[in-house]
Structures are given as C-alpha cells and as structure tokens.
Amino acid sequence: MSDQYESVIGLEVHVQLKTESKIFCSCPAQFGAEPNQNTCPVCLGLPGSLPVLNERALELAMKVGLALGCRISDRIKFDRKNYFYPDLPKAYQISQYDMPVSSKGHLAIELKSDAGTLAEKRIGITRAHLEEDAGKLLHEGVRDGSWVDYNRAGIPLLEIVSEPDLRSPEEAFQYLVSLKAILQYLGVSDCNMEEGSLRCDANVSIRQKGAAPFGTKVEIKNMNSFRAVHKAIAYEIKRQSEALETGTRIVQETRLWNESKGETFTMRSKEEAHDYRYFPEPDLVPFSVSSDQIEALRKSLPELPQARFERFRKQYGISDYDAYVLVAEKALADYFEACTREGANPKLASNWIQSELLALINLKKHSIKNLPNLPPKHLAGLIRLIENGTISGKIAKDVIVEMYDTKKSAEEIVKEKGLIQVTDTKLLEEVADRVIQANPKVAAEVRSGKAQAIGFLVGQVMKETQGKANPKMINEILTKKITSQK
Amino acid sequence: MELYELTLKQAQEFLAKNPNRKDELTKTLADRIKQVDSKLNTYINFDSKHAQKNGDVKGPLSGIPVSIKDNIVTRDWETTCASKILKGFVPPYDATVIRKLREAGAVIFGKCNMDEFAFGSSCETSCFGPTRNPWNLDFVPGGSSGGSAAAVAGRTAIAALGSDTGGSIRQPASFCGVVGLKPTYGRVSRYGLVAFGSSLDQIGPITRTVEDSAILLNVLAGHDEKDSTSANVPVPDYTSFLTKSVKGLKIGLPKEYFVKGLDPEVEKAVKQATSVLQDLGASVTEISLPHMKYAIAVYYVVAVAEASSNLGRFDGVEYGFRHESSNLRDMYFETRNQGFGAEAKRRILLGTFVLSAGYYDAYYLKGLKVRTLIKQDFDQAFQKVALVLGPTAPTPPFRIGEKMSDPLSMYLSDIYTISANLAGVPAMNVPCGFSAAGLPIGMQLTAKPFDEGTIFRAGSAYESATKWHEKVPKL
C-alpha cells in the first residue's frame, strides 16, 4: 500500500459457546455427530415448537463480556432476524438486535516493533450479542440438489463486533490471537476455525492518511484461519489502494475470500443486502439480570491472559516477548508453569518449550494440550540435566527427540546411551593436546588474536568425545593451553 | 338421549356408571359424523377406526373423546392448519395440551376444520372447504375455530379445543351458540400450537356448558417449561367457582361497546343478559375503555407482523407441500405461491410491510405503544369492576360468501374480541339468545389476568338461570 493511505478494519467474530446443550433446546451441542442426529422439533423449527433459553449460554456470554471490559445489559431481550435460506429452519434467526448482552468494551493487543519490543494497543469492542447458529448445507456428492444438516442449528453463538480501530492485517491477526486467548482462558469455546467454532468476517476500507471520514467499506467473508484473515485483508487493502490510484470507484459490497486463488471476489452488492425485519422475539419474555448475579460472575472469572502476562514477567523474569508467546496459547502457558512446578529453570524452560518442543509438536502434528509423549515432569528433568552439566545442550537436542519417541525420562535415556557429559579434566586435557598438535595453524591463529578460530578446535574435541565433552570446559582448557604456549 | 348429545360432564357421569362402554362414545360420534358432517364439514379428519384409544389411563377425562382444532400438533397424526402448504405434515410430537389431555385419559378424537392458519372469522378460508353453521347451513359458523365450535354445537363433538388470537374461539362460539373461553395469555401452554400471532395466541376450550369449560381448563391450565411465555401461576380448581353466587359481583358495561355498528338484536340480547345477572344480585355500572377504537388497527399491525415471521418456515424445505424446482428461488416462490391461500398471502404481505426498514417505527413500534394503552384501559376498568360484559360479536352470523370479498368488514367481526388478546386478559363467550332468524347471539365476559374463576362464576350463574344452552340445532 502506498504510504499516503491508511486502512481501517473492524472484525466481526462469531464464537460457538461450549455448552452441553443447544441455546434453545436440550439437544447435544457437540460437533461431529451423524447428520441431523442432534435435532428435535425446536431446533428443526417444526410448527408449534417454542424456544427456551439455555441459561448456561447466557452465563458464558456474560463472562466474555466481563473479560472484555464490557457493560453487561441488565435486561436480556431477544429479537428475530428474518431471512430465507434452507439452513435456517424457522426462516428467522433468534438474535439480539438493539439490546446486546454486552457492549462498550475493549481488547488489548500486543504489537511487536522492528526492535523486537512489544507495544500495547487497545481495540474497542462495540458489542457482543447472543444468537443461534444455523444448519449446514451439503452439496458434495449430492445430485440434483443439496442436503441440509441441522446438527449445528441452535448451537449458541456469540457475535463479537470490534470498533474500526484496527489499522493493518497484522493488527487484525493479533486481535484474533488475543481474543482467542481470552476465550480459551475463560473456557467458553474451542475456538477452532477449521471446525467453525470461531468464524471471522472483516470490514475493510482505506482512506487518505489523517483524513477523518471513512472510505467505502467492504465486508470480507469466508476466511477459515487467522492466516487467511491476514491474507484476505492484505489483498483487499491492496485492491482498494489500486482502485483509488486508478480512479476506480470502490463499491460497498460483500466479498468472499478464495483461499486457493488468494483473492477476494464479489458475493453481493449493497442493493442486494437483506432487510432482516428485526422485531422482538415474542416467544422469549425479556427478563432482568441483577447486579449481584453479574458481580458473582465477575468474581468467578479465571486469571486472564493480560494478568498472566504481567505475572510471568515478574515471577519468572522472562522477556516480554517470551511471556507474550507463552501466554497467548493457554495450553502452552499451562505447560510452562507445570515445568516450573517440577523445578525447571523458567528461562531454560521457556526457551526449550518455544524452540525444540514446539518444533517437535508441529513435526508430529500433536497438540500441546494433550502431550503424553513428553509430560512437563520429563522436560523439567531434561532441563535439570543441562543445568547441572550432566549433558550438553547439543546432546539434549537429541535426547528430547528420543524422549518424545520413547516416552522415557531424560535420566533413563542419558544412562542407557552413556551420554553423560565428560567433565574429567585429565581426559579433556589429553584430547585438547592431541587436537592442538594436529592443527598447528589454527592454534597459531588463535594465539595471534583471532579468538573465533578456537571454535574449530572446540568442534574437534567434541568430535573426538562424540559430543559428550562439556563445551565450556573445553574452551577454557584450549585457551589456557594455547596462550601458555606463547 | 343419544350418547353424542352428552355434555362433557354427562359423559363423565355416564362412564362412571358404565365403565365398559367407553368405545361407544367414540363410535356414536363417528356415526353422527357420517350422518351429518357432509353438511357441516366440521372435521378435516377424525378417528373412524377408534385407533386413538386411551381408555386405560385413569383421569378426569378417562375415555372421553375431545376434538382438536387442526393447528394443534398431534403426534403421528397429520396437522394441516387447513392449508395446502402443510398437507402431509405428520408431527413427531404432541402439543403440551394434547399430552395433558392424554394424561387425563381423554381420547384425541379428531382434527377440526378452521380458517387457514387461523386467518379469518368465518371458517371459509380452509383449503378443505368451508364449515357451515349447524343452526342454518347457509350461514358461517364464525372463525377461525369454526370447525370446533360447529362440531360442539352440531353434536359431532362432545368438547373441543380452539385457539384464539383475536377472537377465534369466542366469535365462532357466539355464532354457534356454545361456550368458548380464551384464557389469560400464559395460562395454557402454546407449545405445539402452530403460531399465528405468538404474543396473542391462546388455546382454550369450546364446550356446550360453562361447567364443561371449567372441567377442561382444569386439565389444560398450568406452567409449561417448554413455553417461556406460560405463567408460573397456581391453577385453582375452576369447577369450584361454578356454584358461587354473583351477589355483589361488580360488572362493567363499556360505553364504547354499545355504539353504531352493533346489531340491535345483539344489543337487546346482551342488555337482557345483563338484567338477568342484575336480578341474580350483580351490580352493573358503565365503564370506559377509551382506546378500544384502536384495537383492530393495532391488531392488524402486531398480529400480521408476527404471522409474517411465523409463516416464513413454510418454505418447502423440511416438510409439507413443495413445488419441485431446480433452483432455490423458484422453489421458494412457487411453494409459497401455490401453498398459501389468498388471506394468508394478504397477511404475510401486510406483516412483511409493517416490519420493513423505514416503516417499523411508524407501524410496529407504534402498535406496541397503543397496545400498552389498551392494556392500561383494562387495568383501570378492573380497579372498579370484577367483570366486563359486552357483546362477543357485533352481529349474529352472516351468510357464507357475504364478506369474503370484503376483508375489512370481515375484520370488523372481531371488534369486541381483539382487545382481550391485546391486553392478555381472559374472556368467554356465553350464549345469551337468538335472533329473529333463529341464529345464536353471545355475550362476552372479560376478567382481569388469571381471574378465569370470576368468569366461570358469572357464566355459570347466568347459564343456570337461562335455557339457551339447552337448545339444539336441527340437522
């Protein structure tokens, strides 16, 4: 994007709330059942059926509102949003129109500068309202028509709408990361974009930098990962900037993201937009929520990512960035804390989790949430061996792979394979002498002041000891021997 | 006396004495239907094979056949709302009232004809053809619960359920000379009643006597956790009010009820009924319901708005009639175009219009505000009196076909009944005379919310002092 433009982005996130049963009936709300198995007259919208609010869904919605610093409505009212589509069994969605359960909150996101430091930015939350999910159309393998699966119809959804405070694809991405973290800490949603338990639409416009009025807004749908949201917004900003530069008019419309082509395309124009004919849902009587109930919920909130971030920095002395990365994924932070409870050095634990462990998990396509291959106790054991000099970091990288594959502890593997670090000074001095003798030129370079040349000699000693030598000790011995040969 | 002529109370007594003759009741009704229903057309279908046995369940209605308006869902039994669009729809579940009737031992006997989706005041908009008035086959039975009311009057049913959104129980009860009660909004569960105007709809009994009405309401009333709008208010024994004297009962006659447009014969009959109650010891005063004149206008905003949304689901996707097409838009258009009748389409269009962007505030929101004023009128009236008395319908029954081309004059037929739905208060039609042409006239008794007891008290006292309910139409 040319420097003269600024992008203005707002996100609408739909989150499926993790309740046992659906929002207006007692059907199970679980993902993955046989088509239309989790249905009843209510969620099928059969004539005569009536909705009854699942209070658990409201409770989870209010928890999210509280975590986002929202004002919680003391009156709960639902409305009907009318439109025709085969996945919507009643031809209206029960939603909240003018009285959302939560409004006027904010979400803090962390942005990494070029220098690597983090800066906080507050993104306004306009509202978060409760509604029911629709069913799903199935086209694949169906001839002459489509099938409808209503298992998803009636799953509670929370639609969280941000203010147009985001200014770049990266900010939008970080907004999703922070929001997901909060939702996971609250335990209210699986936040799985691929399974559809978290969905995101983006409103994107651009304007002259510093110009107050917003440009024409385009809504983008159909992104199925945070990465896709990032890419789709970036694409849209580029498309709109080019349009402005070439004098093409930007039309207000809804566009769909095509992941394989990496571009957005027109779905419907503003003129084709629905008139949803909202009106109060007569089947659900509005009711009041007392401030005592709201306060009790507030007190029940768990530690949230921001508080945990502050605590990690202070309690463990790790860097802002490390704390941020660990905290952003609740399971990762939980794993880290479990390691420290097992006695691991926090800094080492943080490093090993973020580098070696995550690489292994990604490689094996496992999840940090459920990791029988490498329980925190085992990682803590490995770190202890590194710290007390029993094995080198280099050896440890092999050991962790072995641990992962065999589910054995570090101690077992080190003992079995004889990997204990050589710290016998006499033995190391003999090897050092041999290496210096065999490489007189390198030794001379070191002596003449080219300090980094010693690395080669250290490598040779490691080679002779099959990597078991303590690198720090070798370094000291080699330096002493070479400089004393002056 | 034939068994089909029994009232609900008499049927209870008959079965108490003759417990082995349960099947005779349904059989006698089936025979009666075969005899006269080709003239009346009160049923869409009924249990000619006596499949719906429930004789083993012990309860207040054990073995007694009850007929059901066809907009109340019955498990495994086609429920059509008298509309082509629902033909073939067999619900997988029972409405709460059906469950309660079955638990009380009743036999769900048949599904009664009605105006399509309860849209109408004459029972002429049914896709199964009109129901006729048992007192004169050239006249309408009223609507929309015309099938239920005509069945009870014509002795093809012992008792029936109707539904009332703007007068659909009371007006046909008036036209057919039977007792019809619209309970307080929230008194009876709506779960399983195919919705018309969700904030107005109530299910209620249509019976030959006030006593039968109380017996049925005892079974129907009560909180239902499946209906969020049903009230958690204790249910008294309604039959306990039947023998209470009306001495000292304060009755109000709204001056706005007795104005131009009210048929003189109806006015006379209602005034005479008032005198009967006065003679029994009630005191009568004039009251005012100043916003009554807006009731029809408000009703045709609020009810049609809700109806347009409630009827969206009839789209050919899940159940009922579908016009097959290779494209979705065409399937929607033609399914609804061919599936709905003219009055249903008119109300869907009206409702869609009043909810549209730019019109919502002017119509729907304003309608809700006036509705509140109408409710306040009743609140104020009930500070002075315990019962409001007036005509149920402005005229005796009209001729079949007379108003079909004039919807506005048809809508005026509900001018006295609509305000009770808007205010949520209970109201009952009690027969109070006949026109010179021999057609029934009814009066409407209205009480404050959840005070059905007072209606039963006055209705029963009046009935005991008069003989209207003993008259039987000749078929």
Side-chain angles (χ1 to χ4, degrees):
Chain A
M1 181 170 62
S2 146
D3 276 352
Q4 58 176 319
Y5 298 122
E6 171 182 65
S7 50
V8 176
I9 302 156
L11 296 183
E12 288 172 18
V13 175
H14 285 86
V15 188
Q16 282 187 347
L17 297 177
K18 216 162 72 181
T19 50
E20 287 288 312
S21 54
K22 293 185 177 181
I23 184 167
F24 297 122
C25 63
S26 54
C27 287
Q30 276 72 42
F31 179 82
E34 289 294 306
N36 294 310
Q37 186 184 311
N38 295 343
T39 58
C40 73
V42 176
C43 56
L44 288 175
L46 292 191
S49 66
L50 295 171
V52 176
L53 177 65
N54 175 353
E55 283 175 22
R56 179 74 182 146
L58 175 63
E59 196 180 298
L60 297 187
M62 292 200 283
K63 278 189 175 182
V64 176
L66 289 167
L68 293 173
C70 289
R71 197 188 72 83
I72 306 298
S73 178
D74 54 6
R75 191 119 178 101
I76 301 300
K77 189 197 103 177
F78 289 90
D79 300 276
R80 289 188 185 176
K81 178 180 179 179
N82 297 283
Y83 65 95
F84 287 96
Y85 203 63
D87 66 5
L88 193 68
K90 300 187 293 294
Y92 58 81
Q93 179 191 33
I94 303 178
S95 181
Q96 295 187 300
Y97 181 55
D98 54 351
M99 290 170 65
V101 54
S102 309
S103 56
K104 295 194 175 76
H106 59 83
L107 174 68
I109 64 173
E110 299 289 338
L111 298 166
K112 199 177 176 184
S113 73
D114 293 339
T117 56
L118 289 177
E120 187 188 294
K121 180 174 175 180
R122 269 187 165 207
I123 307 301
I125 301 290
T126 315
R127 56 184 281 160
H129 68 257
L130 260 180
E131 58 189 26
E132 57 180 339
D133 208 343
K136 233 180 198 172
L137 291 193
L138 308 167
H139 307 287
E140 256 166 64
V142 187
R143 287 180 63 187
D144 303 328
S146 301
W147 288 341
V148 199
D149 177 5
Y150 290 113
N151 279 347
R152 206 178 69 176
I155 304 255
L157 279 185
L158 188 69
E159 180 176 338
I160 304 164
V161 182
S162 86
E163 290 287 303
D165 290 346
L166 300 159
R167 290 289 171 270
S168 69
E170 182 57 25
E171 288 189 17
F173 184 87
Q174 291 305 331
Y175 173 90
L176 292 173
V177 169
S178 296
L179 182 61
K180 180 178 171 178
I182 287 180
L183 297 169
Q184 285 182 333
Y185 276 67
L186 293 170
V188 301
S189 176
D190 290 332
C191 296
N192 186 331
M193 262 190 115
E194 268 136 42
E195 285 182 5
S197 59
L198 189 150
R199 282 163 255 161
C200 175
D201 301 334
N203 287 305
V204 181
S205 64
I206 60 170
R207 61 177 174 188
Q208 293 277 337
K209 240 183 201 158
F214 292 145
T216 304
K217 169 179 86 172
V218 169
E219 186 183 23
I220 331 172
K221 288 177 176 285
N222 200 38
M223 291 85 77
N224 64 1
S225 68
F226 289 5
R227 260 305 124 206
V229 173
H230 192 291
K231 284 192 283 184
I233 292 173
Y235 174 89
E236 192 55 27
I237 291 169
K238 186 163 166 279
R239 188 187 71 84
Q240 292 184 21
S241 325
E242 282 167 7
L244 280 194
E245 260 150 34
T246 57
T248 317
R249 201 170 66 93
I250 296 165
V251 279
Q252 187 174 335
E253 60 179 351
T254 301
R255 298 177 71 88
L256 293 182
W257 170 245
N258 183 321
E259 178 74 29
S260 53
K261 285 188 181 168
E263 58 189 42
T264 63
F265 63 96
T266 300
M267 177 193 171
R268 60 168 176 249
S269 71
K270 187 194 172 194
E271 285 72 30
E272 295 165 275
H274 297 289
D275 175 357
Y276 291 118
R277 292 172 283 121
Y278 281 100
F279 75 104
E281 165 58 286
D283 290 331
L284 293 166
V285 185
F287 61 95
S288 299
V289 181
S290 74
S291 53
D292 287 354
Q293 283 172 281
I294 294 170
E295 281 320 301
L297 267 184
R298 195 193 303 276
K299 284 195 188 105
S300 78
L301 294 183
E303 183 185 41
L304 293 171
Q306 230 185 342
R308 201 176 200 184
F309 171 72
E310 292 300 333
R311 183 166 64 78
F312 272 24
R313 288 171 55 219
K314 284 187 198 135
Q315 185 175 340
Y316 301 118
I318 56 179
S319 75
D320 282 10
Y321 185 73
D322 285 349
Y324 176 68
V325 171
L326 289 174
V327 162
E329 180 87 31
K330 179 170 184 290
L332 202 60
D334 289 346
Y335 187 94
F336 166 76
E337 291 219 89
C339 288
T340 62
R341 276 196 300 275
E342 294 291 344
N345 171 311
K347 280 185 185 168
L348 284 175
S350 167
N351 289 342
W352 277 81
I353 289 169
Q354 289 186 52
S355 52
E356 303 306 317
L357 181 62
L358 281 185
L360 269 173
I361 288 171
N362 289 338
L363 186 73
K364 311 269 183 189
K365 296 193 162 54
H366 287 172
S367 158
I368 187 88
K369 264 183 226 167
N370 179 22
L371 206 60
N373 298 57
L374 194 75
K377 191 178 174 184
H378 283 187
L379 186 67
L382 179 71
I383 289 167
R384 207 174 307 119
L385 293 186
I386 300 166
E387 247 192 320
N388 66 20
T390 308
I391 55 172
S392 68
K394 188 170 181 302
I395 292 283
K397 285 183 186 182
D398 297 330
V399 172
I400 194 172
V401 175
E402 187 80 13
M403 290 165 76
Y404 203 95
D405 291 338
T406 62
K407 299 183 191 176
K408 287 180 183 168
S409 72
E411 288 87 345
E412 278 178 277
I413 290 166
V414 165
K415 203 186 268 174
E416 276 173 22
K417 303 223 158 178
L419 297 174
I420 294 171
Q421 186 160 260
V422 178
T423 51
D424 177 339
T425 316
K426 209 175 140 213
L427 182 87
L428 287 179
E429 282 190 349
E430 283 171 21
V431 180
D433 285 340
R434 277 205 300 277
V435 167
I436 291 168
Q437 261 179 356
N439 299 284
K441 276 189 185 171
V442 186
E445 279 177 23
V446 175
R447 207 169 296 125
S448 68
K450 202 174 168 191
Q452 65 268 42
I454 202 166
F456 175 78
L457 299 175
V458 172
Q460 292 302 306
V461 175
M462 290 297 278
K463 203 171 164 189
E464 282 215 14
T465 57
Q466 288 108 47
K468 286 186 263 181
N470 180 326
K472 204 172 148 215
M473 281 178 73
I474 304 169
N475 206 309
E476 279 168 14
I477 289 168
L478 282 169
T479 310
K480 202 166 80 191
K481 282 187 183 290
I482 292 169
T483 47
S484 68
Q485 283 175 0
K486 245 177 207 171
Chain B
M1 194 185 201
E2 299 289 341
L3 284 181
Y4 59 74
E5 291 176 297
L6 298 178
T7 64
L8 181 60
K9 176 71 181 174
Q10 288 165 344
Q12 279 181 326
E13 288 164 356
F14 169 78
L15 288 179
K17 280 183 213 146
N18 307 283
N20 298 326
R21 296 178 66 187
K22 273 174 177 160
D23 286 352
E24 283 180 46
L25 276 182
T26 49
K27 193 173 176 306
T28 185
L29 277 182
D31 292 343
R32 170 78 176 166
I33 288 168
K34 275 171 206 151
Q35 212 176 20
V36 302
D37 212 41
S38 57
K39 296 183 225 169
L40 293 178
N41 197 23
T42 54
Y43 283 92
I44 290 173
N45 58 59
F46 69 98
D47 184 18
S48 57
K49 295 185 183 121
H50 317 303
Q52 303 286 318
K53 279 189 182 142
N54 200 16
D56 299 334
V57 178
K58 293 244 181 331
L61 302 179
S62 194
I64 295 176
V66 178
S67 299
I68 310 296
K69 188 179 183 181
D70 203 30
N71 61 350
I72 298 172
V73 303
T74 39
R75 187 181 179 135
D76 299 334
W77 197 352
E78 190 181 19
T79 299
T80 67
C81 294
S83 178
K84 182 181 170 187
I85 209 162
L86 263 181
K87 270 190 180 172
F89 169 59
V90 179
Y93 76 108
D94 270 337
T96 295
V97 290
I98 301 295
R99 177 179 59 75
K100 288 189 159 197
L101 285 174
R102 290 193 206 276
E103 284 168 6
V107 177
I108 305 303
F109 175 72
K111 303 302 290 284
C112 289
N113 203 4
M114 55 184 281
D115 279 296
E116 183 183 10
F117 283 108
F119 297 152
S121 312
S122 66
C123 213
E124 292 170 284
T125 65
S126 165
C127 74
F128 298 100
T131 296
R132 288 167 187 272
N133 193 313
W135 297 92
N136 186 328
L137 297 176
D138 293 333
F139 286 75
V140 302
S144 63
S145 311
S148 298
V152 172
R155 272 61 179 171
T156 56
I158 288 175
L161 297 193
S163 72
D164 190 316
T165 307
S168 280
I169 286 174
R170 292 159 287 156
Q171 186 257 21
S174 171
F175 279 17
C176 292
V178 293
V179 176
L181 171 71
K182 181 203 88 75
T184 309
Y185 186 78
R187 179 74 293 182
V188 175
S189 169
R190 294 187 295 117
Y191 189 75
L193 170 65
V194 180
F196 160 10
S198 311
S199 71
L200 305 156
D201 298 340
Q202 268 292 289
I203 292 170
I206 296 178
T207 53
R208 282 192 215 126
T209 64
V210 174
E211 182 177 35
D212 284 1
S213 187
I215 293 169
L216 262 186
L217 189 63
N218 272 353
V219 172
L220 302 175
H223 178 244
D224 179 10
E225 59 180 26
K226 288 184 166 172
D227 175 2
S228 306
T229 65
S230 80
N232 208 342
V233 174
V235 179
D237 175 6
Y238 290 111
T239 60
S240 71
F241 295 92
L242 297 168
T243 48
K244 280 191 183 164
S245 150
V246 291
K247 234 168 232 147
L249 183 72
K250 286 184 182 165
I251 296 176
L253 298 186
K255 62 179 185 199
E256 293 83 2
Y257 280 15
F258 300 91
V259 292
K260 195 172 154 256
L262 177 62
D263 183 279
E265 283 188 299
V266 175
E267 179 164 5
K268 196 175 147 208
V270 172
K271 289 271 168 77
Q272 275 172 0
T274 312
S275 306
V276 171
L277 284 166
Q278 255 174 325
D279 292 346
L280 292 170
S283 67
V284 176
T285 49
E286 186 181 86
I287 56 160
S288 175
L289 299 171
H291 297 93
M292 154 93 185
K293 55 179 180 264
Y294 303 117
I296 285 198
V298 169
Y299 177 80
Y300 279 96
V301 168
V302 174
V304 297
E306 293 177 5
S308 71
S309 173
N310 284 328
L311 269 61
R313 72 189 70 196
F314 306 110
D315 58 6
V317 174
E318 271 191 80
Y319 43 76
F321 170 73
R322 174 196 291 169
H323 171 82
E324 294 290 347
S325 170
S326 57
N327 84 69
L328 181 65
R329 204 180 161 85
D330 188 50
M331 184 196 89
Y332 277 157
F333 274 44
E334 281 309 310
T335 295
R336 289 169 70 80
N337 184 35
Q338 295 172 27
F340 287 127
E343 184 61 24
K345 286 179 195 165
R346 181 179 292 125
R347 296 197 189 195
I348 291 169
L349 286 174
L350 268 175
T352 304
F353 173 74
V354 300
L355 289 177
S356 298
Y359 296 99
Y360 180 86
D361 288 3
Y363 292 105
Y364 192 76
L365 203 61
K366 191 128 195 190
L368 291 186
K369 286 176 185 166
V370 180
R371 185 177 180 177
T372 304
L373 295 175
I374 289 170
K375 192 175 181 310
Q376 286 171 355
D377 278 0
F378 277 104
D379 291 345
Q380 279 159 17
F382 288 124
Q383 284 176 5
K384 294 185 201 129
V385 297
L387 203 66
V388 172
L389 192 156
T392 300
T395 64
F398 46 87
R399 284 180 183 275
I400 286 180
E402 190 180 326
K403 298 191 176 182
M404 278 302 273
S405 54
D406 185 1
L408 286 182
S409 93
M410 182 80 88
Y411 295 171
L412 284 173
S413 183
D414 292 326
I415 190 161
Y416 293 111
T417 47
I418 275 173
S419 50
N421 299 81
L422 291 170
V425 296
M428 177 189 270
N429 174 75
V430 180
C432 70
F434 285 83
S435 69
L439 292 163
I441 294 171
M443 66 169 161
Q444 178 174 233
L445 305 177
T446 307
K448 63 176 182 287
F450 302 101
D451 193 18
E452 283 83 356
T454 296
I455 293 176
F456 286 124
R457 179 182 163 197
S460 176
Y462 176 79
E463 200 175 65
S464 307
T466 54
K467 302 266 178 204
W468 307 116
H469 61 285
E470 291 173 9
K471 293 193 81 176
V472 183
K474 289 188 187 71
L475 281 164

